[in-house]
Every structure is written in C-alpha cells, then in structure tokens.
Amino acid sequence: MVSSTSSLVFKFLTLTLCLWFLFGTTSGQLSANFYARTCPNFRSIITRAVNSAVSNEARMGASLLRLHFHDCFVNGCDGSVLLDDTANFTGEKTANPNSNSLRGFDVIDTIKTQLERQCPGVVSCADLLAAAARDSVVALRGPSWNVVFGRRDSTTASLSTANSNLPSPTESLSNLISTFSNLGFTTNEMVALSGAHTIGQSRCTVFRNRLYNENNINSTFATSLRANCPSSGGDNNLSPLDSTPTTFDNRYFNDLISQRGLLHSDQELFNGGSTDAQVRTYASNAATFSRDFASAMVKMSNLSPLTGSSGQVRTNCRRTN
C-alpha cells in the first residue's frame, strides 16, 4: 500500500513538473509557453499583423515599439497606455509625452480583434504590446529577443506618472541617467535603449529649439532641417530620427558623432560626457549594439508586470471589461 501510494505521488509530481516545463506557470510568473494550450497561434497572428502594418507604413514599426516603451515606463508593462479617457476616467494618452504623439492604436485594435476571434479573453493587451514591439524591430531588420508572456492588463492608468516618468526630448544627460536609473536601468542600458531612435520620425515642435538655439549641431544638417521646420509654424512636419529611419541599424550613433542628432536628448549622449565612449562603440560595432539593445529590451518588457489574479485580460484594449 505504501509502495503504491509513493508510486502515485511520484507520478503526480513528475506530471506536474512536465506540465510546468511544457506550458509555463499561470500564477505570478511569466513564461515563453504561457499560451501554449490556450492560444497556440497567438505569436503568428501578431507577427503577421505587424509585418503587414510595417509593410504598409515603415514608420509604424517605430510607433509600435514606442507604445511598448511608454507603457512599461509608467507603472510597469500593464497595457495602461492603451486605455481611452471616459467621462469618469482619465488615461495616459493626454500626458504631455503622449498627446498628439503616440500612434499605432488602430493596429493594436486590429490585432486584438484577430486574437479575440481566435482565443476569446485569453491574450492580454500588455503581452500583445510586448510581442508587437519585438516583431516591429525584426520587421525593420533589427535584432530579435525572447519575449515571455503572462502579463495581465491594468484596470487603471496614471496621467501624472506618465508626465513624470517618461523621458523628455529636452532632457540633459544627467536627467536621462536619473530617469532610467529610477526604473533600474544602468547608464549603458539607457544608451542602448536610446538606440530605438534609429527608426522613426519626430515632429518639428519637438526639435525646433535645437535647430535654432543650440551650437552642438552640424550646420549643414541644421540648415537642411529648417526648410521643413521653420521658426514658427509647421509644428507637425516630420523629420527622420536618423539618416536610415526605416532600417534598425547603428546609424543613429554615427549620426550623433557627426552632431546630427535630431533631438536635444539624442545629442546629449555624445556631447563630451560620460556616454561618449559607448556611443563610439555602438557606432563602430553594430553587433554589439544589437546585442545590448535586445538584452535591455528583455529587461524593460519585464518591468513590474501584473500576473496571476492581478488586473484582468481586457477584451478591448481601449477599455476595461
């Protein structure tokens, strides 16, 4: 009898361990296989949709990556950035760094609709953002990284935290270091993550002051930009963040060395300060940048996720259930 009981216990523990490795945990932890049983095709659904969106508009890759950044930097990767304002609720979309700036919400809506059709109420908006960010970088010929899943969605948002936690394009180097350090990032990781600006574009209103009032900018570069960004007017006119804005490469760092950083905060990374050497390293070694960026993205995408029974899985990313 004892032998039979021991055998059953052993078999049960073995089965439990096998299921843990196969499917991941479902409470309090993230796993690469979190949706293996509940939505096995979710990754291919997201990847196809992201590839289609980026193919239609290459800039969308940068926009989807930025959505993930702006989600994770405000109380963790919980999908809060996607929540719309209501009569009784104020989300993060109208925060100064987000208003008239964040985009790609319609792409997220499309992907979420496809996921809900395939696996109703299963894949969270926070996980969707994490996967879409990785797929966007890959679609623009950048590095890949392992994304783990199991994040749940917040039922709240924080306008004030979005205004205080998200780095500004006018930040000094010391403020950038402090902002990232407050979230647990080293200075090296901050520089690597700033390399996300190797793709995408920015509005004239964000960099106008640099064009007309700063000295650490290549004069030919500044002159060429002023044609599209006058000293007044044209606030929404766009300029690329680096000279190859639809390819995820290390060109951003080469541009900084040439004093062709578009944003004040960009050029701060190469302006006689403590990060100059790292910028030179990334400018001369694309593989090192790709490796460090991927590693920093893994860390960022795991900032304070809601797991287990916390939060919810929103069926519409724009509102709570």
Side-chain angles (χ1 to χ4, degrees), residues 130-149:
R134 188 269 313 278
D135 291 345
S136 293
V137 171
V138 173
L140 295 174
R141 293 188 278 175
S144 184
W145 56 90
N146 293 324
V147 180
V148 289
F149 302 100

Side-chain angles (χ1 to χ4, degrees), residues 13 37 54-55 68 80 98 112 118 120 125 139 174 230 236 262:
L13 291 175
R37 285 180 297 174
V54 173
S55 177
H68 185 44
S80 60
N98 296 339
K112 182 61 171 172
Q118 183 81 13
C125 301
S174 61
N236 293 321
L262 185 66

Side-chain angles (χ1 to χ4, degrees), residues 83 108-117 119-125 128 153-154 312-321:
L83 288 169
I108 298 300
D109 291 341
T110 297
I111 300 173
K112 182 61 171 172
T113 297
Q114 294 174 5
L115 290 170
E116 287 298 306
R117 188 179 302 125
C119 317
V122 172
V123 181
S124 70
C125 301
L128 194 172
D153 298 323
S154 174
Q312 62 182 211
V313 175
R314 299 201 298 265
T315 57
N316 183 325
C317 292
R318 292 178 178 267
R319 59 175 182 263
T320 58
N321 295 340

Side-chain angles (χ1 to χ4, degrees), residues 210 247 291 309:
R210 171 159 164 72
T247 301
R291 181 200 66 205
S309 60

Side-chain angles (χ1 to χ4, degrees), residues 227-248:
N228 192 46
C229 185
S231 57
S232 62
D235 285 0
N236 293 321
N237 292 350
L238 298 172
S239 289
L241 284 163
D242 85 348
S243 49
T244 55
T246 60
T247 301
F248 196 100

Side-chain angles (χ1 to χ4, degrees), residues 101-112:
S101 178
L102 284 186
R103 57 197 300 273
F105 298 108
D106 54 338
V107 175
I108 298 300
D109 291 341
T110 297
I111 300 173
K112 182 61 171 172

